Amino acid sequence: MISDSDVLGASILIVDDQETNVILLQQLLADAGYTHVDSTMDPLTVCAMHRKNAYDLILLDLQMPGMDGFQVMEALKTNQTDPYLSVLVITAQPAHKLRALQMGAKDFVSKPFDLLEVKTRIHNLLEVRLLYKKLANHNQELERLVQDRTAELRESEARYRSLTELASDWYWEQDDKGNFTKVSGPVLEMLGIRVNALVNDAHSVPMQGWNEAERQFLQSTIAARKPFLDFMFSRVNRDGSVQKFCVSGEPMFDQFRRFVGYRGIGNEVISH
């Protein structure tokens, strides 16, 4: 919630070419307890002042020489850093009220002033403005937290990959077409074959000795984009010895849930 001290500490700019009106509004705001009030009688300076100070509320007279209040509001819209334009227009012309609201003014007061009405409208507009800023800050904080959490997850994933590489004989990754994009560990030395023993590869020559039923089952699992854990497959070497291997893998998806490949680990199972 927004406290009274928050409202009274908000920044306000008075824009009126009549000095008597400026003095009246300054006194009104000072008596109400507002502590950050600026003023100008030159409408040409409003945009520069607002860019510098980012006022929470602008009290804007519509009828001014050189540049009227409508032109000031149009110029203020070019401030891309703050799309919320908090303007309370001051006018003696009832016909101007609707046009001012259509151009983005949040409220209006009529001349001559009803002091209680002016104070009430100023307080209400500032409360809404500060709530808007609080929401914007909250959204920025949430976005920062999401970015931090994403970075933590990526770091955690990197640590996990490092640990799995240490804990396994090899780590592998494939793209969405089944091509290996990363293989770590002594795969060639351990298996004595290309790593495409895990999946079909039209450009390779199949090695002999693999259990074809196991190979087909593993390949169909990968083709179906299913995870597999501790899958056992074996190979009979030329000397009659049998090698057994344990592999685990999972499909990978991007942030849009599109399949981008597989990753996994493998170990040779040593019989004791």
Side-chain angles (χ1 to χ4, degrees), residues 93-105:
Q93 301 295 327
H96 289 166
K97 295 176 181 179
L98 178 59
R99 182 185 172 192
L101 293 174
Q102 290 173 335
M103 291 192 65

Side-chain angles (χ1 to χ4, degrees), residues 73-130:
M73 281 192 289
E74 192 66 31
L76 286 170
K77 291 180 182 179
T78 62
N79 183 8
Q80 298 298 322
T81 61
D82 187 4
Y84 187 92
L85 186 62
S86 187
V87 173
L88 176 64
V89 298
I90 303 168
T91 180
Q93 301 295 327
H96 289 166
K97 295 176 181 179
L98 178 59
R99 182 185 172 192
L101 293 174
Q102 290 173 335
M103 291 192 65
K106 295 297 184 283
D107 206 348
F108 58 83
V109 292
S110 301
K111 293 181 180 179
F113 302 134
D114 180 315
L115 298 184
L116 180 58
E117 179 188 6
V118 172
K119 286 199 298 184
T120 301
R121 292 184 184 275
I122 288 173
H123 185 279
N124 290 344
L125 283 180
L126 284 173
E127 194 170 44
V128 172
R129 166 61 175 171
L130 295 179

Side-chain angles (χ1 to χ4, degrees), residues 138-156:
H138 179 65
N139 289 338
Q140 290 178 352
E141 178 65 16
L142 285 178
E143 183 176 353
R144 186 189 65 78
L145 289 173
V146 169
Q147 292 174 345
D148 290 346
R149 181 56 177 157
T150 300
E152 290 174 0
L153 288 174
R154 288 175 178 170
E155 182 180 354
S156 177

Side-chain angles (χ1 to χ4, degrees), residues 173-188:
E173 287 187 10
Q174 299 170 254
D175 61 20
D176 59 339
K177 296 179 177 59
N179 301 314
F180 279 86
T181 57
K182 180 179 180 181
V183 175
S184 65
V187 178
L188 297 179

